[in-house]
């Protein structure tokens, strides 16, 4: 692979200035008194070391109740609190009390703050809980979001937002009525590597966007897993891992699709796919002529990638969509019309915990009473597209989509 130093420095400059898009960090002035600094010891030729800005004192952080202590909560979200600057876990809600108590001891959560689902409405009497993180099977998202809002709690809900458009709308309405914030956990939109790429797109560093090609697949093993039950999951690979492709195309392009074409497939006799689709291939067409061609599945070796083709360059991530280790590369011709050569550069972006980033954005929105960057309207729009893809697959014809009635995203996420 060839590397050209000039474009490489150009790309790195975007990485270094990405924070310029953001407003001042929440609580920065108050936290400044606790900042620790060190004199430089490196030569000028070395990259300066980075000392993380201080987080909030623990007694001032936004308290979060974790609702559902399955894999994503235990393996990703709870450990992310160690890197969060503005949040802390203060309660657990689980149907397995023995497991929840083990977890509570690890995070200094009192036994009295470990609730059963039947006790969920007790959250209304717990002032230390300001928000809830909902990590339940998809069919439970609407009920537990609505109940949290009625209990006076802000909501950070995992994707997909719900199983139907109607459920998504009911969640939005309940939170608006209760004057509580609703955010959907699109962690990718808060990742530094994504913020770097979208900044380059806005500055036309790829030229005009032409097409997006993506695959997000994995091989499911347990036929009894809830993700393979239609009533619980709402569908198969499409709403679970295919959703990443849909949201990425929308987020990077800044457009909304006006037409979808979809096709689903399940291998006859495969016990895993009695209720939901094994794979889905779909095309999204956008007003500018931009096209997204995507494939997702539950019976392939894990593959997570996309390529975004512009008129003057392309960007690709492989792997993409993962919790960590995503690699961004840019390729363009350098050197002029005569003698120009294709130069590909890997963009070095300092990795940060995506779950910590979204937790801190949620805390900022709670404290500042502002719309999240990924509000309920963002999840609702993806669900509209999913339902249109299923309708196309069933009918064998393209399905038109009307524009969303309003904005689907809130203000840009702040740094810090």
């Amino acid at each position: 692979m060839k590397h050209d130093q000039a474009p490489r420095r150009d790309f790195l400059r975007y990485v270094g200035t990405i924070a310029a898009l953001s407003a001042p960090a929440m609580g920065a002035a108050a936290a400044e008194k606790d900042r620790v600094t060190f004199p430089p010891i490196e030569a000028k030729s070395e990259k300066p070391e980075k000392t993380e800005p201080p987080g909030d004192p623990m007694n001032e952080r936004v308290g979060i109740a974790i609702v559902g202590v399955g894999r994503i909560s235990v393996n990703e979200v709870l450990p992310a609190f160690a890197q969060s600057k503005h949040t802390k876990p203060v309660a657990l809600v689980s149907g397995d009390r023995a497991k929840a108590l083990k977890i509570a001891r690890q995070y200094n959560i009192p036994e009295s703050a470990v609730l059963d689902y039947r006790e969920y409405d007790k959250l209304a009497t717990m002032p230390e809980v300001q928000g809830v993180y909902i990590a339940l099977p998809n069919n439970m998202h609407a009920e537990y979001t609505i109940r949290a809002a009625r209990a006076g709690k802000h909501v950070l809900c995992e994707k997909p937002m719900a199983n139907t458009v109607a459920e998504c709308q009911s969640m939005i309405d309940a939170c608006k009525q209760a004057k509580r914030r609703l955010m959907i956990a699109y962690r990718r939109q808060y990742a530094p590597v994504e913020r770097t790429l979208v900044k380059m797109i806005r500055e036309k560093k790829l030229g005009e966007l032409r097409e997006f090609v993506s695959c997000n697949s994995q091989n499911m093993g347990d036929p009894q897993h809830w993700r393979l039950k239609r009533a619980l999951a709402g569908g198969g690979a499409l709403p679970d891992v295919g959703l990443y492709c849909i949201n990425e195309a929308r987020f990077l392009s800044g457009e909304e699709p006006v037409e979808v074409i979809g096709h689903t497939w399940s291998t006859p006799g495969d016990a895993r796919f009695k209720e939901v689709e094994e794979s889905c291939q779909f095309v999204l067409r956008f007003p500018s002529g931009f096209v997204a061609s995507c494939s997702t599945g539950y019976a392939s070796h894990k593959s997570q990638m996309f390529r975004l083709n512009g008129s003057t360059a392309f960007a690709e991530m492989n792997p993409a969509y993962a919790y960590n280790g995503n690699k961004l590369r840019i390729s363009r011709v350098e050197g002029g019309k005569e003698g120009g050569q294709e130069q590909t550069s890997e963009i070095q972006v300092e990795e940060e915990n995506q779950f910590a980033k979204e937790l801190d954005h949620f805390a900022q929105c709670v404290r500042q009473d502002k719309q999240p960057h990924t509000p309920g309207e963002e999840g609702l729009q993806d669900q509209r597209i999913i339902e249109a893809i299923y309708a196309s697959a069933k009918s064998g014809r393209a399905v038109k989509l009307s524009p969303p009635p309003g904005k689907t995203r809130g203000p840009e996420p702040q740094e810090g």
Side-chain angles (χ1 to χ4, degrees), residues 22-27 190 357 360-361 364 368 370 411-416:
S22 304
M26 176 182 68
Y190 303 94
K357 297 289 286 186
D360 282 343
H361 178 72
Q364 290 169 337
Q368 298 173 15
K370 70 175 185 179
E412 297 293 320
Q414 297 176 344
E415 291 295 313

Side-chain angles (χ1 to χ4, degrees), residues 13-316:
R13 196 155 53 244
Y14 297 126
V15 177
T17 60
I18 191 68
L21 286 176
S22 304
M26 176 182 68
E32 194 61 33
K33 67 180 184 300
D34 294 324
R35 180 181 291 275
V36 175
T37 60
F38 300 95
I41 60 173
E42 311 90 350
K44 292 183 179 179
S45 62
E46 304 304 307
K47 180 182 177 181
E49 69 177 346
K50 179 182 178 182
T51 301
E52 285 292 324
D56 300 331
M58 281 294 173
N59 63 343
E60 297 178 12
R61 298 190 178 205
V62 173
I64 307 293
I66 309 300
V67 185
V69 288
R71 285 178 173 82
I72 196 168
S73 293
V74 174
N75 294 344
E76 303 298 337
V77 178
L78 281 161
F81 282 103
Q83 297 177 57
S84 169
K85 295 181 175 67
H86 307 305
T87 63
K88 61 182 178 182
V90 296
L92 300 175
V93 182
S94 172
D96 186 339
R97 186 167 181 81
K99 179 174 72 170
L101 288 174
K102 289 179 182 179
I103 297 166
R105 286 191 288 271
Q106 297 173 45
Y107 291 92
N108 200 33
I109 297 172
E111 186 173 334
S112 60
V114 177
L115 307 180
D116 185 87
Y117 293 119
R118 292 168 295 182
E119 304 173 293
Y120 186 68
D121 296 329
K122 282 187 179 179
L123 290 173
T125 67
M126 299 171 66
E128 70 274 20
V129 176
Q130 293 167 269
V132 301
Y133 167 77
I134 295 179
L136 297 167
N138 305 341
N139 71 317
M140 301 171 73
H141 289 183
E143 176 189 349
Y144 281 82
T145 291
I146 292 168
R147 290 170 64 185
R150 290 173 179 168
K153 309 304 177 183
H154 303 276
V155 178
L156 173 57
C157 180
E158 261 303 330
K159 43 61 58 188
M161 183 176 175
N163 280 356
T164 67
V165 165
E167 288 178 346
C168 292
Q169 190 62 58
S170 70
M171 295 161 70
I172 293 170
D173 294 343
C175 289
K176 284 184 177 178
Q177 183 176 358
K179 294 183 170 58
R180 300 294 92 178
R181 292 301 176 185
L182 171 59
M183 173 175 157
I184 308 304
Y186 287 105
R187 56 183 172 79
R188 299 293 303 148
Q189 294 198 31
Y190 303 94
V193 68
E194 295 277 342
R195 306 303 309 172
T196 298
L197 177 55
V198 81
K199 182 175 187 290
M200 295 175 67
I201 292 168
R202 290 172 182 172
E203 295 181 354
K204 301 296 184 181
K205 300 304 178 183
L206 306 182
E208 299 298 326
L209 298 186
R210 302 302 190 202
E211 58 185 347
F212 175 85
V213 180
S214 184
C215 176
N216 193 13
S217 297
Q218 63 191 44
N219 201 346
M220 295 290 287
D222 180 8
Q224 299 307 313
H225 193 275
W226 69 263
R227 284 186 171 86
L228 300 175
K229 307 298 181 183
R230 181 170 296 279
L232 300 180
L238 177 60
D240 185 23
V241 291
L243 175 62
Y244 286 95
C245 306
I246 296 170
N247 194 259
E248 193 80 14
R250 294 179 50 240
F251 174 58
L252 294 180
S253 70
E255 291 191 84
E256 298 296 346
V258 293
E259 182 183 82
V260 304
I261 301 171
H263 177 268
T264 59
W265 167 259
S266 294
T267 301
D270 193 321
R272 295 173 295 176
F273 307 116
K274 291 180 178 179
E275 298 184 25
V276 301
E277 79 280 356
E278 173 184 328
S279 65
C280 181
Q281 293 72 43
F282 56 93
V283 176
L284 312 178
R285 300 190 184 279
F286 295 79
S288 68
F290 179 68
V291 176
S293 303
C294 307
S295 179
T296 187
Y298 265 170
S300 302
H301 182 66
K302 179 168 282 190
S303 177
Q304 300 175 305
M305 57 73 65
F306 70 75
R307 175 175 283 191
L308 178 65
N309 292 328
S311 58
T312 61
F314 72 74
E316 63 181 9

